[in-house]
């Protein structure tokens, strides 16, 4: 009997050892290990940005206010990429690095259209960890993504999710943006400007906004593709702003039903509703609309030129026309095919630089 008890005890001990080994919290699965490794490698590149603004009360007494956001160190020189709305209207910027040290920040450049900005800290290079940049072309819904930021001031918080959609543009309330990544990773106030990472730990986006009826994260967040930032980074650093091509017209999309109702010579295209006096289109002789008419539920400005092609590329909508314009630079010459009345014409326009808005 004693031998049987010994064997039984040994068997129970072996079973308990196996169960304990499999239940230990140190046994991470592959995806967990990947997430942990990325966070440990990248989180030091994320900074907390405190924006200090000054308002005045009824008696003109200054009242300082603070707001916080996130940013990513992009090189050892101290340049930090963030959102324009994080630093907008700021009187002073304070940057908190991963080691807890605080440094004054200097605005280098900002671009309201892409909601991106670059700031700089004069910290020693050994205190700075540059974030690895990836490629946002080819992103697909379902890809794993990680977001690191400072939501509600909670520094270097990690959230995970997937890409929900890759959108050409979004419009939600006052928010209107082109080329955005929609994600379901939790994004909250303070995450703005922080990096969106892929499963390799490379930055593929800049977290910028959430859609929320409640004020908290509901799983609909948006990030600016990193390739958008790459295209303008040099201008932001060297010039402080981004120069966009400008033709100086307001447009409306011509739909086939509108063309039929108005007896127009083309079925689709871009109607020139207004031409800015003194702008590039005005100097080239482009004509805007002369009267307003109601067609169904739409109000159209008619009597102006109808654009149908730019540099040989057909444009069937105002959105398509503006997408073509975005690929141009100030000083470029574009060849427009248009209809004026029932006459088809070709006009060359030298594009100018779009007037800049204040930051």
């Amino acid at each position: 009997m004693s031998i049987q008890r010994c064997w039984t005890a040994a068997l129970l001990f072996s079973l308990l050892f196996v169960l304990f080994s499999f239940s230990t919290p140190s046994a991470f699965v592959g995806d967990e290990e990947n997430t942990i490794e990325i966070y440990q490698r990248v989180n030091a590149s994320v900074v907390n940005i405190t924006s200090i603004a000054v308002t005045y009360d009824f008696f003109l007494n200054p009242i300082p206010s603070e707001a916080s956001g996130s940013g990513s160190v992009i090189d050892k020189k101290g340049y930090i990429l963030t959102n324009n709305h994080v630093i907008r209207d700021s009187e002073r910027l304070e940057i908190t690095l991963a080691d807890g040290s605080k440094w004054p920040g200097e605005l280098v450049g900002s671009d309201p259209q892409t909601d991106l900005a670059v700031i700089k800290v004069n910290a020693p290079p050994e205190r700075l960890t540059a974030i690895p940049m990836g490629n946002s072309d080819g992103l697909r819904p379902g890809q794993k993504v990680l977001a690191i930021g400072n939501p509600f001031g909670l520094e270097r918080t990690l959230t995970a999710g997937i890409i929900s959609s890759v959108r050409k543009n979004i419009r939600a309330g006052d928010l209107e943006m082109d080329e955005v990544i929609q994600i379901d990773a939790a994004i909250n106030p303070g995450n703005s400007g922080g990096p969106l990472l892929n499963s390799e730990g490379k930055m593929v986006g800049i977290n910028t906004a959430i859609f929320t009826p409640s004020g908290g994260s509901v799983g609909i967040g948006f990030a600016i593709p990193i390739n958008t930032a790459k295209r303008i980074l040099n201008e932001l650093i060297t010039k402080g702003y981004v120069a966009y091509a400008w033709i100086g017209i307001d447009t409306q999309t011509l739909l086939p039903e509108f063309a039929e109702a108005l007896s127009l010579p083309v079925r689709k295209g871009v109607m020139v509703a207004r031409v800015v006096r003194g702008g590039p289109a005005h100097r080239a002789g482009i004509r805007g609309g002369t009267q307003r008419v109601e067609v169904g539920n739409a109000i159209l400005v008619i009597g102006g030129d109808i654009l149908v092609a730019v540099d040989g590329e057909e444009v069937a909508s105002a959105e398509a026309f503006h997408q073509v314009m975005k690929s141009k630079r100030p000083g470029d010459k574009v060849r427009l095919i248009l209809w004026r009345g029932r006459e088809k014409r070709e006009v060359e326009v030298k594009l100018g630089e779009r007037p800049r808005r204040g930051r």
Side-chain angles (χ1 to χ4, degrees):
M1 287 296 290
S2 60
I3 296 176
Q4 285 182 328
R5 288 196 186 103
C6 289
W7 276 106
T8 301
L11 181 60
L12 287 172
F13 179 79
S14 299
L15 289 172
L16 288 171
F17 178 79
V18 171
L19 289 172
F20 179 79
S21 298
F22 277 99
S23 64
T24 177
S26 63
F28 299 112
V29 298
D31 190 54
E32 289 175 329
E33 289 179 347
N34 172 253
T35 301
I36 292 169
E37 188 274 329
I38 289 173
Y39 180 77
Q40 291 177 338
R41 174 162 46 90
V42 177
N43 87 90
S45 302
V46 182
V47 303
N48 186 26
I49 301 171
T50 302
S51 172
I52 302 168
V54 177
T55 58
Y56 296 89
D57 64 15
F58 181 78
F59 300 101
L60 299 182
N61 295 313
I63 304 173
S65 61
E66 292 187 0
S68 66
S70 305
S72 300
V73 177
I74 58 175
D75 62 23
K76 291 283 189 177
K77 296 178 182 177
Y79 289 113
I80 295 168
L81 179 63
T82 186
N83 284 142
N84 176 65
H85 75 260
V86 169
I87 55 85
R88 186 177 54 222
D89 302 324
S90 63
E91 299 286 338
R92 184 161 58 89
L93 297 170
E94 183 179 77
I95 312 303
T96 305
L97 302 181
D99 61 8
S101 62
K102 297 181 184 295
W103 302 82
E106 173 193 359
L107 176 61
V108 174
S110 62
D111 180 42
Q113 175 160 318
T114 57
D115 193 25
L116 292 174
V118 174
I119 57 182
K120 191 175 189 296
V121 292
N122 291 317
E126 61 270 16
R127 288 179 177 264
L128 301 172
T129 303
I131 197 165
M133 289 193 184
N135 184 355
S136 55
D137 287 346
L139 294 177
R140 295 290 182 269
Q143 281 186 244
K144 169 185 169 180
V145 286
L146 305 172
I148 304 178
N150 305 289
F152 303 108
L154 302 172
E155 294 186 358
R156 281 172 292 285
T157 295
L158 172 71
T159 55
I162 61 169
I163 294 175
S164 303
S165 179
V166 180
R167 300 187 178 277
K168 286 293 183 184
N169 55 71
I170 58 165
R171 181 175 295 176
D174 294 332
L175 176 68
E176 184 175 356
M177 298 180 66
D178 292 328
E179 298 181 5
V180 291
I181 307 166
Q182 181 182 332
I183 59 175
D184 73 347
I187 302 293
N188 285 290
N191 273 110
S192 290
L196 183 72
L197 309 166
N198 63 12
S199 56
E200 295 180 337
K202 294 181 178 179
M203 181 163 63
V204 293
I206 302 93
N207 302 315
T208 189
I210 59 173
F211 175 72
T212 170
S214 64
S217 177
V218 293
I220 302 178
F222 301 102
I224 302 164
I226 192 61
N227 287 7
T228 298
K230 287 179 180 179
R231 285 196 296 269
I232 67 172
L233 267 175
N234 184 61
E235 275 192 277
L236 287 178
I237 292 172
T238 58
K239 295 167 56 176
Y241 68 95
V242 180
Y244 289 99
W246 181 60
I247 191 169
I249 61 174
D250 291 335
T251 60
Q252 290 182 296
T253 298
L254 174 63
L255 299 175
E257 53 265 35
F258 297 162
E260 183 177 355
L262 297 168
S263 300
L264 296 176
V266 287
R267 306 292 293 171
K268 56 186 178 179
V270 180
M271 303 172 69
V272 180
R274 184 178 74 95
V275 176
V276 178
R277 182 170 295 275
H282 182 257
R283 292 194 296 270
I286 305 295
R287 295 182 183 178
T290 56
Q291 60 178 313
R292 294 161 64 92
V293 298
E294 187 173 339
V295 180
N297 294 325
I299 296 177
L300 304 177
V301 181
I302 65 171
D305 294 335
I306 301 173
L307 309 178
V308 294
V310 181
D311 291 338
E313 181 180 343
E314 182 179 305
V315 287
S317 67
E319 181 184 56
F321 174 75
H322 291 305
Q323 287 297 326
V324 173
M325 287 295 103
K326 286 178 183 178
S327 67
K328 307 298 182 181
R329 300 287 300 165
D332 287 351
K333 292 181 179 180
V334 294
R335 183 170 48 87
L336 304 180
I337 303 297
L338 58 84
W339 285 82
R340 181 170 295 166
R342 296 193 171 274
E343 180 184 357
K344 191 176 183 180
R345 297 189 176 195
E346 180 176 320
V347 177
E348 185 179 81
V349 182
K350 183 178 180 180
L351 301 177
E353 182 176 321
R354 191 179 67 191
R356 289 189 291 136
R357 296 172 291 174
R359 70 177 179 86

